[in-house]
Amino acid sequence: MVSIKDVARSAGVSPQTVSNYLNNPGIVKASTRSLVAAAIDELGYTPNASARRLRTQRSNTIAIGIAPVSYSRVYDRFLHAIATEADAHNLRIILYKTDSKSDEIRQFESLTAGGDVDSFVLADTVHNDPRIPWLIEHKQAFVLFGRPWGESNMNDPTVPWVDVDGYAGIALMTQKLILTGHKRIGFIGWPGTSGTGDDRKAGWRDTLLAAKMASEQQLDALCVDALDDIAAGHAACLTLLERQPDLDAIVCVSDTLAAGAVMSLTASPTHNITVTGFDNTVSSQSFGFPTIDQPLTACAQEIVRIIQQQLDGAASHAQCSAVPAQTSAPVTHDASFHGAATVSPHSATTAAKSDSRHVLLTPALIWR
Amino acid sequence: MVSIKDVARSAGVSPQTVSNYLNNPGIVKASTRSLVAAAIDELGYTPNASARRLRTQRSNTIAIGIAPVSYSRVYDRFLHAIATEADAHNLRIILYKTDSKSDEIRQFESLTAGGDVDSFVLADTVHNDPRIPWLIEHKQAFVLFGRPWGESNMNDPTVPWVDVDGYAGIALMTQKLILTGHKRIGFIGWPGTSGTGDDRKAGWRDTLLAAKMASEQQLDALCVDALDDIAAGHAACLTLLERQPDLDAIVCVSDTLAAGAVMSLTASPTHNITVTGFDNTVSSQSFGFPTIDQPLTACAQEIVRIIQQQLDGAASHAQCSAVPAQTSAPVTHDASFHGAATVSPHSATTAAKSDSRHVLLTPALIWR
DNA sequence: CTGTTAGCGCATTCAA
DNA sequence: TTGAATGCGCTAACAG
């Protein structure tokens, strides 16, 4: 292994000059600089990451979990986006397994203990997520990919999050359907009360109500719940059609359900019904139904930006523990917020300029 | 941050004793041991990973890539399996992005340079994979998940690999179809010459020939190629049926293609045709077609076992660079090998006992 | 069995 | 601008 000393000897300078060259090139004379550069190049020197981390007490590493079965169909794309963004910022990514929320907390313990994680990226956030209080209590930096659905955390600047605005995405899709002449628009959603699922469903509901395409009473008959698999989508579509034979469009909460719905319609081609999905998976491309594309690259950029802020903050001042209560846009479930969603960045380009700790990104409509 | 010194002071012993307690508890007197244990517990001490790595010159870290679009539908499951196995062995996982083979080699450079990767896990192996010579040349340890399809590497003990025996899996499936009375069995495969695709197809072909269910000449008419998406599977199925109206079963190289085939058959329910897939994805579960389940956990175990061997070997003797040319079973494409496949482990349990550097695991048939 | 000494590779004081 | 010391936290040799 070639160290900073070898470079120094080869360049005829002291080790510290080499260190300066690496960390603060400005203070090194230009001629010396090229001397050092040549030596580094010749010996193929690279700084030892462990030594640097030991010395600086910073790992420049972010940790992210992988569940036994990905909670989202696009998780691999998200991982790639995060890895790309981290790469650009000279951050490393540690991947750890999460079999459950409590298992994940156990992972926190071992990872934070060794001191080689600076910040965690948490996916699959749930109501009253137990991971959040743990991390706060142990003063561990983190960023959520997904909103903390518990009310109290949503606006808390000490709980940073980046999420895709499923409400806006589904609303866009529903509007598009209305504007292309669809009169009777149903919805296939997820059962239970997942924050994500409810949010998307609300986008459909509010759009129909606003356009006076359905009354509050009619809404219930226009939607049905199904587990996230093709067979369930198939069945849900049949149920919906039986109940509402005059349907001319079905908005689905996911591509998987949409694929099932499309299949059930292909079998009985008497109907002419538009089906739409969510996630822009290969199913949507194959079947050719419209869908919604999550801006995963932008999400990754925002997440890494926030992490970078955390790192910089920790480096500059230790007394900065009380984060200046950044008055971010209020985030709630009601339509008033979503009407005012223009406060948060709407595209990757505008988002990059934000320095908020709560970022809601609007996904793109893919019309086929 | 609490260090080994604090523990030593609190326990009333020297720092070295604490270190011994951690790394070699056997040589510490029992009474001292409990003293140290108490101090560690009280102070909540955990060793600093960077310091340890700097001192021992070993990172206990394995690196694995993530592509923009996963080359396999089960890659997230594989990542979880690897993460779980690494966790059990106290190894960390670094995730890096790979946009192409050459991009991946660039990642190798930066990761190896910092000295915080001990071994790489390489997926998506291709014919004459450029990554392999690079790693060998730079003396970087690695394990392939997938065979090195270039002939020369396949038996080379310095190129360790773990793979799933797609040939055996498809052969099992085809045999099962024959034994359940199917007489005319087609195949939908991938175009081009991917090692994996060819291997699976050979399993179907050889089984039909061995059972004299088709002649060499007939085989061409019984199979068709399709890109790995649902629409292509749909189309391929129609093509096949037009050519061979008496088909009673179709073996597909993937669940995705199988889903497409099933759909095209649902549309015209005159046929009674069994369709089978590969990968045990949610599609297979939803549609209820038989499939083949990759033993990903076992793969991860074997991969980590080999990595552990590499680490142990490097620790014990530096002169061990010339690996004892372990005469592993010859691995080729012809049927003779596959007939003798019992040499390689056939299940997770038997595999665990192996110490070979070339492991071929037989997947499980899921009959529905 | 335990303590002392030394140094892994680097970056941050300071002095020159 | 550059060089000489110091120590981050830990472990591998030894000595006691």
Side-chain angles (χ1 to χ4, degrees):
Chain A
M1 149 150 281
V2 38
S3 94
I4 210 170
K5 278 185 179 174
D6 304 313
V7 176
R9 196 171 330 116
S10 165
V13 298
S14 85
Q16 285 59 33
T17 306
V18 180
S19 177
N20 285 338
Y21 168 81
L22 294 170
N23 301 305
N24 202 352
I27 70 165
V28 178
K29 192 163 59 176
S31 61
T32 319
R33 212 151 43 193
S34 54
L35 221 58
V36 175
I40 287 179
D41 198 50
E42 185 193 333
L43 287 101
Y45 165 80
T46 346
N48 180 302
S50 292
R52 176 174 279 177
R53 275 195 284 275
L54 174 58
R55 177 63 233 230
T56 61
Q57 300 288 48
R58 285 190 32 203
S59 61
N60 286 319
T61 298
I62 75 191
I64 185 163
I66 177 90
V69 40
S70 296
Y71 85 100
S72 157
R73 283 290 142 68
V74 294
Y75 200 62
D76 52 352
R77 277 176 58 202
F78 175 65
L79 284 181
H80 178 265
I82 280 278
T84 301
E85 208 47 33
D87 190 52
H89 288 248
N90 283 316
L91 298 173
R92 288 175 325 154
I93 295 180
I94 285 188
L95 190 72
Y96 61 88
K97 66 117 179 167
T98 57
D99 290 341
S100 66
K101 300 293 180 233
S102 59
D103 178 51
E104 188 161 0
I105 290 177
R106 239 171 291 135
Q107 296 286 348
F108 291 165
E109 290 172 349
S110 70
L111 285 170
T112 56
D116 41 22
V117 171
D118 282 335
S119 192
F120 286 88
V121 175
L122 270 54
D124 192 22
T125 54
V126 297
H127 284 280
N128 298 318
D129 202 305
R131 299 171 296 178
I132 298 176
W134 192 97
L135 289 166
I136 291 175
E137 188 179 338
H138 291 76
K139 300 190 198 305
Q140 253 298 320
F142 64 94
V143 180
L144 307 183
F145 177 43
R147 274 159 280 184
W149 296 104
E151 284 296 325
S152 61
N153 285 328
M154 199 78 105
N155 298 314
D156 183 347
T158 62
V159 180
W161 53 258
V162 174
D163 202 3
V164 172
D165 194 343
Y167 178 100
I170 291 289
L172 268 175
M173 182 65 88
T174 309
Q175 287 159 13
K176 179 74 178 182
L177 286 170
I178 294 173
L179 295 177
T180 50
H182 297 82
K183 301 295 180 194
R184 207 99 186 123
I185 304 172
F187 186 83
I188 300 178
W190 289 322
T193 54
S194 74
T196 309
D198 295 346
D199 192 49
R200 293 183 188 175
K201 185 174 181 177
W204 161 79
R205 186 195 59 210
D206 290 354
T207 304
L208 284 200
L209 290 176
K212 302 199 194 306
M213 304 280 291
S215 68
E216 291 270 11
Q217 293 74 31
Q218 293 172 306
L219 284 174
D220 277 347
L222 280 171
C223 70
V224 61
D225 289 341
L227 293 170
D228 199 39
D229 69 58
I230 294 184
H234 189 113
C237 182
L238 296 180
T239 305
L240 209 51
L241 275 179
E242 195 168 328
R243 203 192 285 160
Q244 297 279 341
D246 58 340
L247 232 49
D248 56 8
I250 301 176
V251 175
C252 299
V253 76
S254 75
D255 273 8
T256 308
L257 288 173
V262 166
M263 278 184 48
S264 81
L265 293 174
T266 315
S268 57
T270 49
H271 301 284
N272 184 18
I273 298 180
T274 306
V275 173
T276 74
F278 199 113
D279 265 354
N280 191 21
T281 63
V282 67
S283 288
S284 157
Q285 292 155 32
S286 302
F287 288 110
F289 57 75
T291 193
I292 291 162
D293 189 55
Q294 297 204 32
L296 297 173
T297 302
C299 286
Q301 285 170 346
E302 291 298 306
I303 288 170
V304 171
R305 178 185 60 71
I306 292 174
I307 289 175
Q308 199 61 259
Q309 279 182 9
Q310 294 171 340
L311 294 178
D312 297 344
S316 61
H317 294 299
Q319 76 267 27
C320 204
S321 59
V323 178
Q326 183 149 5
T327 44
S328 54
V331 177
T332 62
H333 270 283
D334 66 84
S336 68
F337 165 64
H338 286 292
T342 46
V343 173
S344 46
H346 268 245
S347 74
T349 51
T350 61
K353 299 185 180 172
S354 162
D355 68 339
S356 165
R357 283 164 186 267
H358 297 153
V359 181
L360 202 53
L361 293 163
T362 303
L365 189 66
I366 296 186
W367 189 253
R368 301 183 204 269
Chain B
M1 150 149 280
V2 38
S3 92
I4 209 170
K5 278 185 179 173
D6 305 312
V7 176
R9 196 169 333 116
S10 165
V13 297
S14 84
Q16 185 51 36
T17 305
V18 180
S19 176
N20 286 338
Y21 167 81
L22 294 170
N23 301 307
N24 202 351
I27 69 166
V28 178
K29 192 163 60 174
S31 61
T32 318
R33 211 151 45 193
S34 54
L35 220 58
V36 174
I40 287 179
D41 197 50
E42 185 193 332
L43 296 161
Y45 165 80
T46 348
N48 180 302
S50 292
R52 177 174 279 175
R53 276 196 283 274
L54 174 59
R55 180 61 237 228
T56 61
Q57 300 286 52
R58 283 188 36 200
S59 61
N60 286 319
T61 298
I62 76 190
I64 186 165
I66 177 90
V69 39
S70 295
Y71 86 99
S72 156
R73 282 290 143 69
V74 294
Y75 200 63
D76 52 353
R77 277 177 58 204
F78 175 66
L79 284 181
H80 178 264
I82 280 278
T84 301
E85 208 46 34
D87 190 52
H89 288 248
N90 284 316
L91 298 172
R92 290 179 323 161
I93 295 181
I94 285 189
L95 190 73
Y96 61 88
K97 65 116 180 168
T98 58
D99 291 342
S100 65
K101 300 294 180 236
S102 59
D103 179 51
E104 187 160 1
I105 289 178
R106 238 171 290 135
Q107 296 285 348
F108 291 166
E109 290 172 349
S110 70
L111 286 170
T112 56
D116 42 20
V117 170
D118 282 336
S119 192
F120 286 88
V121 175
L122 270 54
D124 191 23
T125 53
V126 296
H127 284 281
N128 298 319
D129 202 305
R131 298 171 296 179
I132 299 176
W134 192 96
L135 289 166
I136 291 176
E137 188 180 338
H138 292 76
K139 299 189 197 307
Q140 253 299 319
F142 65 94
V143 180
L144 307 183
F145 177 43
R147 275 159 278 183
W149 295 104
E151 285 296 324
S152 61
N153 285 329
M154 200 79 104
N155 298 314
D156 183 348
T158 61
V159 180
W161 53 259
V162 173
D163 201 3
V164 173
D165 194 343
Y167 178 101
I170 291 290
L172 268 175
M173 183 64 88
T174 309
Q175 288 159 13
K176 179 74 178 182
L177 287 169
I178 293 173
L179 295 177
T180 50
H182 297 82
K183 301 296 181 194
R184 206 95 187 126
I185 305 171
F187 187 82
I188 301 179
W190 289 321
T193 53
S194 73
T196 309
D198 295 346
D199 192 49
R200 293 184 188 174
K201 185 175 181 177
W204 162 78
R205 185 196 57 210
D206 290 355
T207 304
L208 284 200
L209 289 176
K212 300 198 195 307
M213 304 280 290
S215 67
E216 291 270 12
Q217 293 74 30
Q218 293 172 307
L219 284 174
D220 278 346
L222 280 170
C223 70
V224 62
D225 289 342
L227 293 170
D228 199 39
D229 69 58
I230 295 184
H234 189 114
C237 182
L238 296 180
T239 305
L240 209 50
L241 275 179
E242 195 169 328
R243 203 191 285 159
Q244 298 278 342
D246 58 339
L247 233 49
D248 57 7
I250 301 176
V251 175
C252 299
V253 75
S254 76
D255 273 8
T256 308
L257 289 173
V262 165
M263 278 184 48
S264 80
L265 293 174
T266 315
S268 57
T270 48
H271 302 285
N272 184 18
I273 298 180
T274 306
V275 173
T276 74
F278 199 114
D279 266 352
N280 191 21
T281 63
V282 67
S283 289
S284 156
Q285 292 155 32
S286 302
F287 287 110
F289 58 74
T291 192
I292 291 161
D293 190 54
Q294 297 204 31
L296 297 173
T297 301
C299 285
Q301 285 171 346
E302 291 297 307
I303 288 170
V304 171
R305 177 185 59 71
I306 292 175
I307 289 175
Q308 199 60 260
Q309 279 182 8
Q310 294 171 341
L311 293 178
D312 296 345
S316 61
H317 293 298
Q319 75 268 27
C320 205
S321 59
V323 178
Q326 183 149 4
T327 44
S328 55
V331 177
T332 61
H333 270 283
D334 67 85
S336 68
F337 165 63
H338 286 291
T342 46
V343 173
S344 47
H346 268 245
S347 74
T349 50
T350 60
K353 299 184 180 172
S354 161
D355 68 339
S356 164
R357 282 164 186 267
H358 297 152
V359 181
L360 201 53
L361 293 163
T362 304
L365 190 64
I366 297 186
W367 190 252
R368 300 184 203 270

